[in-house]
Amino acid sequence: MSQRQSIRGMHDILPSETPLWQWLESQVEAVLKQYQFEEIRVPIVEHTEVFTKAIGQTTDVVEKEMYTFEDRSGDSLTLRPEGTAGVVRSVIQHGLLHPPGQKVWYHGPMFRYERPQRGRQRQFHQYGVEVFGLAEPVVDVELMAMIERLWQRLGLSSAVSLEVNSLGDPDDRARYRQHLVDYLTPYAADLDEDSKRRLQTNPLRIFDSKIETTQAIMSEAPRFGDFMGDAARAHFEQVQALLNDLGISFRVNSGLVRGLDYYCRTVFEWVTDQLGAQGTVCAGGRYDGLTAMAGGKDVPGIGLAMGEERLLELIKAKNEPLPMASGVYWLGQVPVGELLAEAEALRLACPHLTVGSDLVGGSLKSQFKRADRSGARVALIYGEAERSQGIVQVKDLRSDSTQQSVSKPNLAQYLSSLFSTQS
Ligand code: ATP
Ligand code: MG
């Protein structure tokens, strides 16, 4: 059985679904380019310590979600559970931390051994961006503005909302940590098992708990805001002022801590109420100490990541037809070899047009069915009558407009203008 099934939580993306993925990806990449981000591609597998050092030993990801294995020479390797650690490793290795202002994006599958459910897979796909070397609040805000621009483009502005918080600087957090432990210790017996353990190892992370009784205890906990130092406070205030200047609405959520250890100062998430429990679609924050911790020069950094599966769910929930159908499909009752020759001539004349031709033949009805299934927008009908008159019938498969006869020498020109006005 197992040889005929994909691994639990790891899904095939079938030809019927890839057009939507490709559409999403083209939108995301257009926005990234507009903001001068450049693509970086790093391996899917890294030495395990690339992740344990960066993400933190006491995080969910490192404690229970990584796919870690030994290779044949006994080295411990891990399938990447997130993108930042590998990108940081790469920019250090290749000396890209200087000059400041490197802006990169990445994209691809991530792997986490989690309980598969709606919006949660074991292989999922993220887009992520990282900016190195820039410490100013305006950098944080440009990132958030970029993602707001993306929501606009995807038609998701009203489906998601922005939450921001500041985790301050490491010294602030150390002071706060003690207060949090003092508050939580009397409730220790009422916390869930994970949170009990975290009380010793990583108490801030208890804010991340999805267990209701724990959440109730946390809702009364002292908030970090009261412990934030002056520098971090000024940074956070400026972030908020700049967001206001740009007219970007947001909510300060003082319980927002983020699941990975490397964050400091500004953290942010876009959340939705349309995806059940898995409500975060995009999340990120500042990680000013990370490059030094990973063995590189100590430069500030900030990044974010978003899950494609959750975005696609939101897009599908809108139920709007997307402009997917494209290209043409040759059909008609002539030998299929003749259709193929016409298709080849058109591919040469129109290099950007998607051109199919019927490879099976048979009744016109069955050929039209295949044309429809192919996703083409237009059928090019070429039978014996058309051949003898030197014409092609052009029929729009996706609207009720009437069929047009076009002379063969004019066909390429006709289709070029048809598709430039339709797309
Ligand atoms: P969650 O709280 O939902 O577990 P997270 O804090 O672990 O999220 P990040 O590590 O910040 O998530 O990853 C950024 C984004 O990647 C998430 O907002 C989400 O859209 C997506 N994501 C994370 N884990 C998964 C998963 N297992 N399946 C699908 N998407 C995921
Ligand atoms: Mg998680």
Side-chain angles (χ1 to χ4, degrees):
M1 193 61 195
S2 61
Q3 84 183 47
R4 291 200 282 145
Q5 294 262 308
S6 67
I7 295 167
R8 192 163 119 83
M10 301 196 183
H11 302 294
D12 301 310
I13 302 168
L14 300 175
S16 59
E17 301 162 287
T18 47
L20 190 55
W21 284 76
Q22 289 168 349
W23 176 80
L24 172 65
E25 289 166 5
S26 68
Q27 298 299 316
V28 175
E29 288 171 27
V31 172
L32 294 169
K33 196 165 171 216
Q34 201 178 17
Y35 284 76
Q36 291 187 304
F37 279 81
E38 294 176 303
E39 185 180 8
I40 186 167
R41 300 187 185 190
V42 298
I44 288 174
V45 190
E46 297 275 353
H47 291 291
T48 299
E49 62 181 19
V50 167
F51 301 113
T52 50
K53 289 236 170 84
I55 298 171
Q57 291 286 354
T58 58
T59 55
D60 270 353
V61 169
V62 169
E63 279 179 343
K64 16 182 216 203
E65 297 176 359
M66 294 202 310
Y67 280 91
T68 296
F69 59 96
E70 267 186 19
D71 73 2
R72 287 172 192 274
S73 56
D75 289 342
S76 177
L77 305 183
T78 294
L79 291 183
R80 65 180 182 195
E82 56 98 61
T84 302
V87 170
V88 166
R89 194 266 313 135
S90 175
V91 294
I92 293 172
Q93 180 177 337
H94 300 286
L96 301 183
L97 290 179
H98 190 81
Q102 184 73 240
K103 292 161 89 172
V104 295
W105 64 268
Y106 60 83
H107 160 231
M110 305 292 159
F111 303 86
R112 297 185 192 176
Y113 191 78
E114 304 198 70
R115 192 168 72 78
Q117 53 195 292
R118 182 178 180 204
R120 201 173 285 291
Q121 297 82 33
R122 289 181 172 174
Q123 175 175 330
F124 60 101
H125 299 80
Q126 280 184 343
Y127 268 93
V129 308
E130 318 290 350
V131 181
F132 296 101
L134 303 178
E136 295 304 312
V138 69
V139 180
D140 314 15
V141 174
E142 188 193 60
L143 266 192
M144 292 186 244
M146 175 172 80
I147 300 302
E148 288 285 326
R149 175 97 39 229
L150 175 65
W151 304 148
Q152 252 171 20
R153 226 175 144 123
L154 298 176
L156 295 180
S157 295
S158 57
V160 297
S161 57
L162 171 60
E163 303 199 337
V164 299
N165 192 24
S166 174
L167 301 180
D169 290 320
D171 287 350
D172 310 339
R173 270 208 304 285
R175 280 190 298 130
Y176 170 61
R177 180 193 158 110
Q178 195 47 53
H179 278 81
L180 190 59
V181 171
D182 292 345
Y183 164 80
L184 284 172
T185 304
Y187 296 106
D190 305 325
L191 293 171
D192 60 276
E193 288 309 310
D194 271 346
S195 298
K196 266 184 207 149
R197 200 162 32 79
R198 297 230 155 102
L199 188 51
Q200 313 302 323
T201 57
N202 199 342
L204 252 79
R205 187 92 328 113
I206 303 177
F207 278 109
D208 246 0
S209 169
K210 311 233 158 54
I211 311 290
E212 254 175 55
T213 46
T214 301
Q215 282 177 347
I217 295 170
M218 294 314 280
S219 68
E220 302 290 318
R223 290 302 159 113
F224 176 70
D226 304 329
F227 298 84
M228 209 181 328
D230 291 342
R233 184 181 307 281
H235 185 103
F236 191 38
E237 279 167 6
Q238 247 195 298
V239 164
Q240 296 177 60
L242 287 164
L243 284 171
N244 284 326
D245 288 349
L246 292 181
I248 295 174
S249 45
F250 63 93
R251 182 174 85 88
V252 174
N253 173 359
S254 58
L256 177 60
V257 292
R258 308 282 307 111
L260 316 175
D261 260 2
Y262 49 57
Y263 290 108
C264 66
R265 295 204 173 180
T266 319
V267 289
F268 46 88
E269 287 188 354
W270 280 266
V271 294
T272 177
D273 54 12
Q274 294 179 19
L275 296 179
Q278 275 55 253
T280 308
V281 291
C282 177
R286 221 168 230 295
Y287 46 75
D288 291 347
L290 182 58
T291 57
M293 209 160 73
K297 208 169 121 193
D298 189 2
V299 306
I302 182 168
L304 59 82
M306 59 193 138
E308 282 190 83
E309 283 83 356
R310 292 186 195 176
L311 286 179
L312 286 168
E313 261 217 72
L314 283 181
I315 290 164
K316 283 192 224 155
K318 291 199 311 162
N319 255 332
E320 277 171 19
L322 290 159
M324 281 321 167
S326 68
V328 301
Y329 190 94
W330 286 89
L331 56 82
Q333 287 181 313
V334 293
V336 286
E338 237 179 280
L339 294 179
L340 177 63
E342 294 300 338
E344 281 295 291
L346 190 59
R347 286 174 185 131
L348 183 64
C350 301
H352 299 291
L353 188 64
T354 302
V355 181
S357 72
D358 198 87
L359 302 174
V360 181
S363 74
L364 269 184
K365 194 170 163 212
S366 58
Q367 294 192 36
F368 267 110
K369 259 196 197 147
R370 284 191 290 273
D372 184 47
R373 271 207 309 265
S374 79
R377 180 177 282 174
V378 164
L380 300 178
I381 305 155
Y382 188 67
E384 284 179 10
E386 285 81 11
R387 185 210 284 135
S388 65
Q389 295 169 50
I391 59 161
V392 178
Q393 306 281 355
V394 179
K395 180 169 171 47
D396 191 329
L397 295 167
R398 314 291 161 186
S399 80
D400 296 332
S401 59
T402 51
Q403 197 164 300
Q404 300 284 330
S405 312
V406 179
S407 79
K408 260 173 57 182
N410 290 338
L411 184 64
Q413 172 87 49
Y414 178 87
L415 292 174
S416 301
S417 66
L418 179 71
F419 280 93
S420 73
T421 53
Q422 278 196 354
S423 62

